[in-house]
Amino acid sequence: MLWNAARRRSPHWNILVQAVYEPVLNPLKVSIVADKKLLLEITDLQVYFNIKDNTQWFWQPAKTLKAVDGMTLNLYQGETLGIVGESGCGKSTLARAIIGLVKTSGGSVTWLGKNLPSMTATEWRTVRRDIQMIFQDPVASLNPRMTIGEIIAEPLRTYHPQMSRQKMQDNVKAMMLKVGLLSNLINRYPHEFSGGQCQRIGIARALILQPKLVICDEPVSALDVSIQAQVVNLLQKLQQDMGLSLIFISHDLSVVKHISDRVLVMYLGHTVELGSCDQIYHNPQHPYTKALMSAMLIPDPDKERAKKTQLLAGELPSPIDPPSGCVFHTRCPIATAECVKTRPTLAGNFRHAVACLKVKID
Ligand SMILES: Nc1ncnc2c1ncn2[C@@H]1O[C@H](COP(=O)(O)OP(=O)(O)OP(=O)(O)O)[C@@H](O)[C@H]1O
Ligand code: SF4
Ligand SMILES: [Mg+2]
């Protein structure tokens, strides 16, 4: 409480105190805080939904579905954070909470030091310009009645209504070229393009306002493998050229490995491990990450045959009735009685943090 009160006192005080003490108070920031700007910080985020199912009578109270329940992460300027985890573990809900499409139920989400959920409508407008999203289904995310020129220019019309028509068109054409689309296609409609080209249009629209962060929620899973590689390489190139930060959500562990600097592993709405790509893929520590990585295909047939896959028992528990203590204990091969009672917190440093009672990170 004292810390928060001090933070509110003045912006200069805030910066000074953060620079001196925050690396000590928040171990996830150690070592990178000096050379890179912290864009996004999420601490113990909760997103709960009240739901009623067919088995309930109308007088019975709604149940609480804990889609996100204790997520912690941080994101620095220019880095790509990959997010992996089983279907239903809350990846898309997390993404939607960051851009304000769903209400948060607890915890904090700060963008450049400001708490997002408590921002005014005007402040949100600025943040919306800085944080853009690319969706899974490229065709469904484009309005079929608009030309691609109009689709890409839409954010410009909202944020720069005074911009001349000619300048807007020049900007759109330049962006089309950047994403690999011929500018003479500007007056065509989305149905005239392939899935890969539609995703390029979605990327152009997301980047036209020069955002700081782009959240990509399964951006290539609806595309053919060869097109997937082209779109991933395009995202990587644009990120380097424009100094963007990316949050890259995917089920495809190989794609996440290719594009990410750090990787966050989610399980039932929780961060279970967060670390550099090398650490997560070559030296995972959390039992869930170990199982996930052991299921990844190895391109070498001999190594693939020789590897031991760790199969997890059972299914992902329901987020309506999550297990007590460590939420992974029902499937963990090394769980103890303590795991049933005590919930582990994410502990470690910026390079590597794990939420497991049996793993200690120096
Ligand atoms: N608006 C909503 N109302 C009620 N429940 C929701 C809502 N949105 C998501 N959920 C539930 O929250 C949980 C997490 O869903 P979410 O879509 O975030 O998972 P995900 O990790 O993105 O899954 P996938 O990998 O399949 O896309 C699921 O159990 C889902 O049914
Ligand atoms: S805390 Fe216990 S149950 Fe959870 S991952 Fe660690 S060992 Fe397994
Ligand atoms: Mg999803």
Side-chain angles (χ1 to χ4, degrees):
M1 270 174 70
L2 266 177
W3 170 248
N4 285 337
R7 273 182 169 196
R8 281 194 293 271
R9 270 174 55 182
S10 105
H12 305 296
W13 167 261
N14 197 14
I15 291 165
L16 179 72
V17 175
Q18 253 183 321
V20 177
Y21 290 113
E22 196 112 336
V24 180
L25 295 173
N26 185 348
L28 291 182
K29 286 186 194 170
V30 171
S31 78
I32 199 156
V33 79
D35 54 336
K36 283 193 180 173
K37 196 163 159 189
L38 180 66
L39 290 185
L40 179 72
E41 189 178 20
I42 296 179
T43 311
D44 202 20
L45 180 70
Q46 292 149 1
V47 182
Y48 296 170
F49 297 110
N50 287 329
I51 56 156
K52 279 213 161 205
D53 60 34
N54 299 340
T55 60
Q56 287 180 276
W57 292 98
F58 65 89
W59 64 79
Q60 290 180 310
K63 293 179 180 172
T64 303
L65 186 148
K66 298 179 175 178
V68 171
D69 190 23
M71 284 291 309
T72 295
L73 68 87
N74 49 19
L75 182 83
Y76 290 84
Q77 193 168 29
E79 77 163 336
T80 299
L81 179 71
I83 299 188
V84 296
E86 266 166 294
S87 192
C89 71
K91 303 180 293 296
S92 300
T93 307
L94 170 71
R96 278 186 258 135
I98 295 171
I99 59 167
L101 290 180
V102 291
K103 272 183 101 177
T104 59
S105 315
S108 72
V109 183
T110 56
W111 172 254
L112 292 169
K114 284 191 174 172
N115 188 27
L116 285 185
S118 59
M119 275 187 183
T120 61
T122 324
E123 287 173 322
W124 253 116
R125 202 178 134 81
T126 318
V127 174
R128 277 272 163 74
R129 194 183 53 199
D130 285 346
I131 308 179
Q132 296 288 325
M133 193 150 172
I134 298 171
F135 297 93
Q136 177 174 6
D137 188 341
V139 181
S141 65
L142 305 178
N143 185 338
R145 293 198 187 88
M146 290 166 85
T147 64
I148 66 158
E150 289 167 341
I151 291 171
I152 299 170
E154 208 177 13
L156 280 179
R157 279 200 299 276
T158 309
Y159 280 90
H160 303 284
Q162 74 293 352
M163 191 182 275
S164 72
R165 208 179 148 76
Q166 186 57 49
K167 184 137 195 263
M168 219 172 261
Q169 205 169 57
D170 292 346
N171 278 341
V172 170
K173 284 185 173 175
M175 187 48 79
M176 284 175 70
L177 288 174
K178 254 189 185 166
V179 300
L181 292 167
L182 293 173
S183 56
N184 59 6
L185 303 176
I186 191 166
N187 291 321
R188 299 270 184 95
Y189 287 86
H191 72 267
E192 298 175 65
F193 293 87
S194 67
Q197 284 175 319
C198 283
Q199 198 53 297
R200 287 174 193 265
I201 299 166
I203 294 172
R205 183 181 54 185
L207 298 186
I208 194 85
L209 291 173
Q210 314 268 342
K212 292 188 170 72
L213 165 64
V214 179
I215 303 176
C216 313
D217 189 0
E218 311 256 11
V220 292
S221 54
L223 307 175
D224 289 343
V225 178
S226 57
I227 309 294
Q228 280 187 10
Q230 289 173 13
V231 173
V232 168
N233 289 340
L234 172 69
L235 279 171
Q236 213 167 16
K237 182 172 181 318
L238 291 170
Q239 185 213 15
Q240 280 155 14
D241 292 352
M242 298 173 73
L244 290 170
S245 296
L246 292 183
I247 290 184
F248 193 92
I249 298 171
S250 178
H251 284 280
D252 190 329
L253 295 174
S254 317
V255 172
V256 172
K257 185 180 180 190
H258 175 76
I259 199 168
S260 308
D261 299 305
R262 288 189 301 146
V263 177
L264 181 147
V265 184
M266 267 185 94
Y267 184 82
L268 207 62
H270 295 71
T271 305
V272 295
E273 191 160 357
L274 173 60
S276 66
C277 211
D278 245 21
Q279 179 71 54
I280 297 290
Y281 282 81
H282 301 299
N283 190 18
Q285 294 299 309
H286 194 281
Y288 176 64
T289 318
K290 285 183 181 172
L292 204 63
M293 293 306 150
S294 78
M296 189 176 152
L297 279 178
I298 304 173
D300 181 333
D302 293 333
K303 286 187 183 164
E304 175 61 26
R305 265 192 296 273
K307 85 169 186 207
K308 282 187 186 154
T309 307
Q310 296 178 26
L311 289 178
L312 284 177
E315 303 220 329
L316 188 72
S318 165
I320 297 176
D321 187 19
S324 61
C326 172
V327 284
F328 187 57
H329 83 251
T330 51
R331 303 169 81 189
C332 180
I334 55 167
T336 59
E338 199 198 347
C339 305
V340 181
K341 288 184 282 182
T342 313
R343 176 154 298 182
T345 49
L346 194 70
N349 53 54
F350 167 75
R351 301 208 182 285
H352 192 205
V354 182
C356 173
L357 299 174
K358 287 198 172 177
V359 177
K360 295 273 173 286
I361 305 289
D362 299 328

